[in-house]
C-alpha cells in the first residue's frame, strides 16, 4: 500500500489499508452465496448428464423405474410431488389466511402475541418429528375417524375410492399442510400489516363493516403479496423430504386415489440415493434433484418478487 | 335497509368467527404433537437413555449417547464453517451492498433459503463424499453450513439495518476508519439481534435430517472422528421410527422429545437475546 499523502498521520494510511482488507473480506464472504448456488446447479447438472443423454425428455413423462433393467422415468414422483403439494395447499390456504387475518385485524391485542408465537412454533418442529407423529398418531386417527367419513361422502369420486392403506397421498398432504401453514401465515401477516391504515379507516368511514373493510379495502391492496405467501408455501411443500418420505408410502406407480400410497421426488432421493449402485441409477436420482431444484428456484423467485413488490409499495420492510 | 344492514353485520361477525376458528385449528396440531411427544417420549427417557448407545436390533434398552455427541459435533462444526461466512456476507450487504451485486446476493440468499435441503445433500455427496470415497461427519457439517449461510446472511443484514445511521456518522466523524466503524460500532450494536438470527438458524439445522442421509450417514457406535460417519439425533429418530421393533418406536419418541426440547431451548435463548433497545421497529 503506497501512501499518496506522505504528510498524513500514519494511522490514516494503515486504516485505509485496513478498510480495503475488511471490504475485500466481506465481499468474498458475500460472493460465496451466489457461487454456492451456481456450484449446486452445475454439480446437479453434471450428475444428471448420463440420464439426460440416455432418456432425454422421456425421463419426465414415462413411469417405469427399474434399476435392474436400467430404465428410468420419473413421472410418478413428479406427479406425486405436485399432488401432495396441492392437497397441502387446499388445506393450508384457508387456515393460514384465516390466521393471518385474525391476527392482524380482529384479535384482541393481548391474544396476538401468544397465538402468533404458537403458530410459529409449528415451523420450529423438525421434519423428522412430523414424520414420527404422522406414522404413529395421524395415520391411526385418519384410519379410524377421518377416512370412513371421507369414503362415505366422497367415495364415489376416483380421488377417495379404494381402501385406505395408511401410508398415502392424503397423509402426506395433511402433514405438509401443517408444516407450510406457519410460513404462509407469517408472510401473509407481513403483507397485510404493510397495507396503510388509511385504507381501513376510509372503508370504515364509508360505513363498511369490519369484514367488508378487510375484504374490499385491505385484501385487494395486498393480493399480490398474499399470492406470494401462498407460492412460498408451495415452494416449501414441493421440497419437503423427511415427513413425506415417512408417510407417503413410496410406491412407484401413478394412482388417482388419495387414499393410496404414492411417491415424491424428494422421497425418492432420500430412499434410494445412499443405496444406488449403478451410475445410471445415481444419475437418475440426480436428475430428479435437478428438476426439483429448478422448480423450487423458479417458484421461490416468483414468490419473492411478489412479496417484495407489495412490501416495497408501502415503504415497509 | 335495516334488514340489509343486519345481514351485513351478520356476515361480518360470521367471517370474524371463521378466522378465529382458523386460528384455533392452526394451533391444535402444535398441542397434539407436543402432548404426544411428552406422553410417549418422557417414559423412554432415563439416565440409561443418555449414557448408552443403541442396542442391537430387536434387543431391549439402548440409548442415544452417540447421537447426542454426534449432533453436538456436527452442529458445532457447522457453526464454525458457516457463521463467519454468513455474518461477513451480511455485513457486506448492509455496509457496501447497495448496488446490483448486493441485490443479487440478497436475492440468491432468499432463494437458497427455500431450496430443498435434500438437494444440498446430493450436492455435498458429489462434492465431498464421492471424491473422498466415504461418508463423513464433515460432509454433513458442510451440507448444514450451506443451509445456515443464507439464513444468517439475511438476518445479519436485517439487524445491521436497524442500527441508526447517526451512530455510524458519529464514529466516522471521530476519525474511525470504515472497517473499525463497521466492526466496533455497527456490528457490536446489532450483535444481540445477530445472535438471535444465528441461534434460530442453528436450531433449524439441529433438526435437519434429509441433508445428512448420505453425507453423515449415521452410525450406531459412539464416534468423535469427524472424518467418519456419525449419528445425529435427527437421523436416530428416522432410523428408530421407520424400523420394525416396538422398542425402537419407544426410543424414537424419546429421541424426538430430546430433539424438540433442544430446538425449543435454542429458540427461547434467542428470544431473550433479542431484547435489545434497537429491536423495536
Amino acid at each position: 500500500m503506497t501512501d499518496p499523502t506522505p504528510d498524513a498521520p500514519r494511522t490514516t494510511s494503515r486504516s485505509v489499508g485496513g478498510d480495503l482488507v475488511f471490504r475485500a473480506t466481506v465481499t468474498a464472504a458475500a460472493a460465496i452465496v451466489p457461487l454456492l448456488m451456481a456450484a449446486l446447479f452445475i454439480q446437479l447438472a453434471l450428475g444428471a448428464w448420463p440420464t439426460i443423454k440416455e432418456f432425454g425428455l422421456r425421463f419426465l413423462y414415462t413411469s417405469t423405474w427399474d434399476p435392474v433393467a436400467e430404465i428410468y422415468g420419473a413421472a410418478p414422483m413428479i406427479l406425486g410431488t405436485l399432488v401432495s403439494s396441492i392437497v397441502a395447499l387446499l388445506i393450508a390456504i384457508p387456515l393460514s389466511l384465516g390466521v393471518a387475518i385474525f391476527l392482524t385485524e380482529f384479535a384482541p391485542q393481548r391474544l396476538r402475541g401468544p397465538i402468533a408465537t404458537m403458530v410459529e412454533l409449528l415451523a420450529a418442529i423438525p421434519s423428522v418429528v412430523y414424520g414420527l407423529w404422522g406414522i404413529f398418531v395421524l395415520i391411526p386417527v385418519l384410519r379410524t375417524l377421518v377416512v370412513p367419513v371421507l369414503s362415505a361422502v366422497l367415495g364415489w369420486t376416483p380421488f377417495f375410492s379404494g381402501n385406505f392403506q395408511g401410508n398415502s397421498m392424503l397423509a402426506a398432504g395433511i402433514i405438509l399442510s401443517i408444516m407450510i401453514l406457519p410460513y404462509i401465515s407469517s408472510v401473509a401477516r407481513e403483507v397485510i400489516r404493510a397495507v396503510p391504515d388509511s385504507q381501513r379507516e376510509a372503508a370504515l368511514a364509508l360505513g363498511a363493516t369490519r369484514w367488508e373493510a378487510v375484504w374490499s379495502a385491505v385484501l385487494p391492496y395486498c393480493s399480490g403479496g398474499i399470492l406470494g405467501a401462498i407460492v412460498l408455501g408451495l415452494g416449501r411443500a414441493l421440497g419437503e423430504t423427511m415427513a413425506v418420505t415417512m408417510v407417503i408410502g413410496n410406491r412407484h406407480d401413478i394412482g388417482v386415489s388419495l387414499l393410496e400410497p404414492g411417491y415424491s421426488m424428494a422421497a425418492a432421493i432420500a430412499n434410494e440415493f445412499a443405496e444406488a449402485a449403478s451410475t445410471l441409477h445415481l444419475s437418475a436420482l440426480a436428475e430428479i434433484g435437478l428438476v426439483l431444484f429448478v422448480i423450487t428456484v423458479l417458484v421461490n423467485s416468483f414468490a419473492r418478487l411478489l412479496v417484495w413488490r407489495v412490501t416495497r409499495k408501502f415503504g415497509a420492510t | 335497509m335495516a334488514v340489509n344492514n343486519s345481514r351485513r353485520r351478520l356476515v361480518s361477525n360470521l367471517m370474524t368467527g371463521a378466522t378465529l376458528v382458523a386460528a384455533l385449528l392452526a394451533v391444535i396440531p402444535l398441542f397434539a404433537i407436543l402432548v404426544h411427544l411428552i406422553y410417549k417420549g418422557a417414559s423412554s427417557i432415563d439416565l440409561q437413555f443418555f449414557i448408552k448407545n443403541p442396542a442391537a436390533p430387536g434387543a431391549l434398552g439402548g440409548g442415544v449417547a452417540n447421537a447426542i455427541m454426534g449432533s453436538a459435533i456436527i452442529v458445532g462444526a457447522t457453526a464454525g464453517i458457516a457463521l463467519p461466512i454468513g455474518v461477513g456476507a451480511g455485513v457486506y450487504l448492509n455496509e457496501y451492498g447497495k448496488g446490483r451485486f448486493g441485490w443479487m446476493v440478497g436475492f440468491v440468499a432468499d432463494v437458497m433459503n427455500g431450496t430443498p435441503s435434500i438437494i444440498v445433500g446430493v450436492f455435498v455427496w458429489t462434492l465431498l463424499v464421492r471424491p473422498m470415497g466415504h461418508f463423513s461427519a464433515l460432509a454433513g457439517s458442510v451440507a448444514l453450513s450451506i443451509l445456515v449461510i443464507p439464513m444468517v446472511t439475511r438476518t445479519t443484514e436485517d439487524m445491521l439495518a436497524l442500527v441508526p445511521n447517526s451512530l455510524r456518522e458519529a464514529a466516522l466523524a471521530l476519525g474511525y476508519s470504515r472497517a473499525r466503524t463497521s466492526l466496533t460500532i455497527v456490528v457490536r450494536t446489532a450483535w444481540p439481534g445477530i445472535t438471535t438470527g444465528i441461534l434460530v438458524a442453528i436450531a433449524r439445522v439441529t433438526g435437519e435430517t434429509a441433508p445428512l442421509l448420505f453425507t453423515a450417514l449415521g452410525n450406531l457406535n459412539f464416534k468423535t472422528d469427524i472424518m467418519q460417519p456419525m449419528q445425529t439425533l435427527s437421523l436416530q429418530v428416522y432410523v428408530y421410527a421407520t424400523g420394525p421393533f416396538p422398542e425402537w418406536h419407544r426410543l424414537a419418541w424419546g429421541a424426538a422429545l430430546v430433539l424438540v426440547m433442544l430446538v425449543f431451548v435454542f429458540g427461547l435463548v434467542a428470544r431473550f437475546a433479542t431484547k435489545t433497545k434497537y429491536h423495536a421497529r
Side-chain angles (χ1 to χ4, degrees):
Chain A
M1 199 58 232
T2 54
D3 194 342
T5 51
D7 292 334
R10 257 190 79 218
T11 50
T12 311
S13 84
R14 224 189 322 146
S15 64
V16 168
D19 273 0
L20 283 177
V21 171
F22 176 70
R23 182 167 183 165
T25 312
V26 294
T27 310
I32 286 177
V33 176
L35 283 178
L36 274 177
M37 186 83 167
L40 243 166
F41 180 78
I42 292 167
Q43 282 281 0
L44 283 175
L46 285 177
W49 188 242
T51 30
I52 296 177
K53 222 168 46 182
E54 179 85 22
F55 302 108
L57 282 177
R58 263 186 304 149
F59 184 79
L60 301 177
Y61 61 79
T62 56
S63 58
T64 311
W65 185 273
D66 189 346
V68 179
E70 298 271 38
I71 299 172
Y72 299 100
M77 293 86 149
I78 297 172
L79 212 66
T81 296
L82 294 179
V83 170
S84 56
S85 302
I86 290 169
V87 172
L89 281 183
L90 288 178
I91 302 170
I93 289 173
L95 281 181
S96 50
L97 295 188
V99 174
I101 294 171
F102 179 72
L103 287 178
T104 47
E105 306 291 329
F106 300 134
Q109 208 65 43
R110 273 184 311 149
L111 283 182
R112 290 183 187 194
I115 294 181
T117 308
M118 283 191 274
V119 173
E120 266 155 35
L121 276 180
L122 280 176
I125 295 175
S127 178
V128 70
V129 176
Y130 276 105
L132 176 74
W133 184 75
I135 293 175
F136 295 108
V137 181
L138 180 69
I139 287 179
V141 168
L142 287 178
R143 178 174 287 129
T144 52
L145 295 176
V146 179
V147 170
V149 178
L150 277 178
S151 296
V153 181
L154 294 165
W156 54 275
T157 64
F159 306 116
F160 295 99
S161 62
N163 283 327
F164 182 61
Q165 302 174 21
N167 289 348
S168 57
M169 280 288 185
L170 181 69
I174 292 175
I175 286 271
L176 279 176
S177 72
I178 302 172
M179 298 180 74
I180 63 174
L181 190 151
Y183 290 99
I184 302 181
S185 77
S186 90
V187 179
R189 254 170 62 210
E190 197 181 309
V191 295
I192 293 174
R193 252 205 313 253
V195 176
D197 272 338
S198 54
Q199 279 294 113
R200 299 178 180 87
E201 285 154 11
L204 292 172
L206 287 171
T209 61
R210 287 178 76 185
W211 173 253
E212 284 165 347
V214 172
W215 187 249
S216 57
V218 175
L219 293 184
Y221 237 73
C222 57
S223 54
I226 301 241
L227 182 64
I230 292 168
V231 177
L232 270 183
L234 173 66
R236 288 271 158 197
L238 291 172
E240 188 46 60
T241 309
M242 295 318 294
V244 173
T245 307
M246 291 162 86
V247 300
I248 201 169
N250 305 328
R251 184 183 71 149
H252 276 294
D253 289 310
I254 298 177
V256 186
S257 173
L258 296 178
L259 303 184
E260 287 172 0
Y263 217 173
S264 85
M265 298 159 85
I269 302 174
N271 276 325
E272 297 177 26
F273 200 85
E275 274 125 45
S278 71
T279 317
L280 214 53
H281 193 183
L282 279 173
S283 169
L285 294 167
E287 187 172 352
I288 290 184
L290 181 67
V291 174
L292 183 59
F293 181 61
V294 170
I295 293 175
T296 49
V297 165
L298 291 178
V299 163
N300 280 317
S301 308
F302 177 59
R304 283 292 162 197
L305 290 175
L306 284 172
V307 174
W308 183 67
R309 262 184 46 203
V310 171
T311 46
R312 230 175 90 100
K313 187 160 81 178
F314 307 118
T317 43
Chain B
M1 184 66 195
V3 177
N4 192 14
N5 266 343
S6 66
R7 214 190 69 130
R8 287 173 50 212
R9 219 172 295 131
L10 182 70
V11 169
S12 181
N13 289 339
L14 278 179
M15 292 313 290
T16 310
T19 62
L20 170 67
V21 170
L24 293 178
L25 283 176
V27 297
I28 287 176
L30 177 72
F31 286 106
I33 291 170
L34 291 183
V35 164
H36 277 103
L37 267 180
I38 294 166
Y39 169 67
K40 297 198 174 177
S43 57
S44 326
I45 297 182
D46 50 23
L47 188 62
Q48 298 295 313
F49 186 79
F50 289 105
I51 59 174
K52 277 195 158 170
N53 294 326
L60 291 185
V64 292
N66 61 333
I68 292 176
M69 189 65 191
S71 278
I73 291 174
I74 288 179
V75 173
T78 300
I81 300 168
L83 297 185
I85 299 173
V87 172
V91 170
Y92 172 84
L93 286 184
N94 190 62
E95 302 289 293
Y96 303 105
K98 299 304 166 200
R100 202 174 288 170
F101 176 69
W103 185 87
M104 190 265 288
V105 171
F107 188 77
V108 169
D110 278 345
V111 172
M112 273 180 83
N113 270 336
T115 298
S117 56
I118 184 94
I119 288 175
V120 174
V122 174
F123 170 57
V124 173
W125 185 87
T126 60
L127 196 72
L128 289 178
V129 176
R130 185 160 56 177
M132 281 165 50
H134 58 86
F135 300 98
S136 68
L138 179 67
S141 294
V142 170
L144 295 185
S145 298
I146 295 173
L147 299 173
V148 170
I149 289 170
M151 285 191 263
V152 170
T153 298
R154 265 313 201 192
T155 47
T156 301
E157 184 198 2
D158 287 347
M159 291 304 144
L160 293 178
L162 297 179
V163 176
N165 229 345
S166 53
L167 278 181
R168 189 178 284 119
E169 284 158 2
L172 290 172
L174 285 172
Y176 273 32
S177 66
R178 281 292 300 266
R180 201 169 158 201
T181 308
S182 295
L183 285 175
T184 63
I185 306 297
V186 181
V187 171
R188 204 155 131 195
T189 309
W191 193 245
I194 296 175
T195 319
T196 304
I198 288 172
L199 285 168
V200 168
I202 293 292
R204 205 194 115 191
V205 297
T206 303
E208 273 291 351
T209 318
L212 300 176
L213 287 174
F214 23 86
T215 52
L217 188 69
N219 197 323
L220 291 177
N221 300 310
F222 192 92
K223 295 282 182 202
T224 53
D225 181 357
I226 198 155
M227 300 311 287
Q228 292 301 318
M230 201 181 277
Q231 189 74 306
T232 68
L233 273 170
S234 52
L235 286 168
Q236 189 74 64
V237 174
Y238 179 54
V239 172
Y240 278 158
T242 52
F245 312 108
E247 176 71 3
W248 278 20
H249 301 160
R250 188 179 71 79
L251 293 169
W253 283 103
L257 177 60
V258 173
L259 183 60
V260 168
M261 285 197 311
L262 266 180
V263 171
F264 279 14
V265 164
F266 276 126
L268 276 179
V269 174
R271 199 155 264 262
F272 285 116
T274 329
K275 294 203 188 297
T276 141
K277 54 181 169 170
Y278 293 111
H279 178 62
R281 289 199 182 197

